[in-house]
Amino acid sequence: MQYNSHKCSHSSPIEAANRMRTVELLEVKQENCSVKTLTFEDPLCSKAEPGQFVMVWIPGVDEIPISLSGIASDGLTSITVNAVGDASSALNLKKKGEIIGVRGPFGNGFVPVKGNVLVVGGGTGLGPMMPLTENLVRISSKITVMSGVKCQDNLLFLDRIADLLSSVDSETICTTEDGSYGFEGLVTSQVEKKLAAEHVDMIYTCGPEPMMYRIFLLAEQYNVPVQASLERIMRCGIGLCGSCVIGELRVCKDGPVLNSEQLRSIKDEFGKFRLDWTGKKVKQ
Ligand SMILES: Cc1cc2nc3c(=O)[nH]c(=O)nc-3n(C[C@H](O)[C@H](O)[C@H](O)COP(=O)(O)OP(=O)(O)OC[C@H]3O[C@@H](n4cnc5c(N)ncnc54)[C@H](O)[C@@H]3O)c2cc1C
Ligand code: FES
């Protein structure tokens, strides 16, 4: 007897994206002491929006969410990974030619706007700001990229930023907490200075949540809209498991990029609480 499969041959875009693909690492670039950029080829990721992320499977170790730091129309995709624990460290030990798995791209992206924009990255949070800046240089009238790190050794993408901004009205502001490069202190002080000095049409940000929360408060004070990319524990990446819930929102599906209105709706938890691995609400 012939077996007739009832499976539909046409899958939805999310089903297609959720299928794990194994990809070969075409390049592994050391960016600083603990951060590497890994490049691979994947047709689905080449159509991603800046701000979207992939679930990266490190065989035998774990699967973790990582934002796309490079999206090229020729199919090349990059992720920039900071080695903080088991999975991210194992990922950063991968060599050119080795295999990882990817699902995605998931979530929403940053919405580019015309006008005077601030792009603020904290640490590795600068990663997703790079493809965003690539899009902004085509439409925005002025771009200020701000990078905040602990010390000079943690700086990222200085050449890439200089290259990207070379032909537009722009400024690059770096801050280090120890004063070893650029302005001494937190990047949020420079954001405040900027907002006090000129009219800004949009702030884009990704980085540690206390930094983004402070930027959100400043943006509210100066009446400037903000788009912030949030991080939460993620398992499914597609809105099913609930591990990334904040308020009424799921960061994997409603975010990771949230706008001012959405951030207002979660202001009791944003910058204050998150779910731990057991799903319990814990202080940040
Ligand atoms: C949407 C999204 C996008 C992300 N994009 C990126 C990205 O582009 N690049 C990147 O490097 N990471 C990114 N992350 C964070 C990344 O997923 C985590 O760093 C990773 O899950 C850590 O896994 P691990 O097993 O190595 O560490 P774990 O074992 O989970 O953690 C080890 C230790 O590191 C701490 N830790 C965990 N995450 C972080 C962190 N982000 N920063 C500092 N300390 C941390 C933990 O508190 C713990 O103490 C993203 C996360 C989300 C949700
Ligand atoms: S990661 Fe499962 S709901 Fe967001």
Side-chain angles (χ1 to χ4, degrees), residues 53 62 64-67 80-82 84-89 124 230-232 234 256 277:
F53 67 95
D62 205 350
I64 56 171
I66 301 286
S67 300
T80 297
V81 186
N82 190 18
V84 293
D86 287 353
S88 50
S89 301
T124 330
L230 265 63
E231 270 190 24
R232 283 294 180 274
M234 288 185 188
W277 281 100

Side-chain angles (χ1 to χ4, degrees), residues 233-244 250-253:
I233 286 175
M234 288 185 188
R235 288 188 175 95
C236 69
I238 54 170
L240 295 177
C241 71
S243 58
C244 66
R250 288 162 296 178
V251 175
C252 70
K253 206 160 188 287

Side-chain angles (χ1 to χ4, degrees), residues 116-136:
N116 185 12
V117 299
L118 297 191
V119 174
V120 189
T124 330
L126 197 58
M129 312 317 267
M130 300 314 293
L132 168 69
T133 307
E134 266 165 32
N135 286 358
L136 290 173

Side-chain angles (χ1 to χ4, degrees), residues 68-132:
L68 302 179
S69 61
I71 305 166
S73 51
D74 60 6
L76 291 185
T77 301
S78 300
I79 50 174
T80 297
V81 186
N82 190 18
V84 293
D86 287 353
S88 50
S89 301
L91 188 54
N92 276 10
L93 285 175
K94 294 276 171 209
K95 304 265 177 299
K96 183 180 168 183
E98 287 194 77
I99 302 290
I100 56 170
V102 290
R103 291 191 290 129
F106 295 133
N108 62 12
F110 292 102
V111 180
V113 298
K114 298 174 181 166
N116 185 12
V117 299
L118 297 191
V119 174
V120 189
T124 330
L126 197 58
M129 312 317 267
M130 300 314 293
L132 168 69

Side-chain angles (χ1 to χ4, degrees), residues 242-276:
S243 58
C244 66
V245 163
I246 179 164
E248 301 283 303
L249 304 177
R250 288 162 296 178
V251 175
C252 70
K253 206 160 188 287
D254 303 309
V257 179
L258 301 180
N259 61 31
S260 297
E261 198 184 330
Q262 291 170 310
L263 294 171
R264 270 175 226 132
S265 80
I266 55 163
K267 68 176 184 327
D268 292 340
E269 295 186 35
F270 178 41
K272 300 177 187 87
F273 297 100
R274 58 171 62 228
L275 301 184
D276 71 9

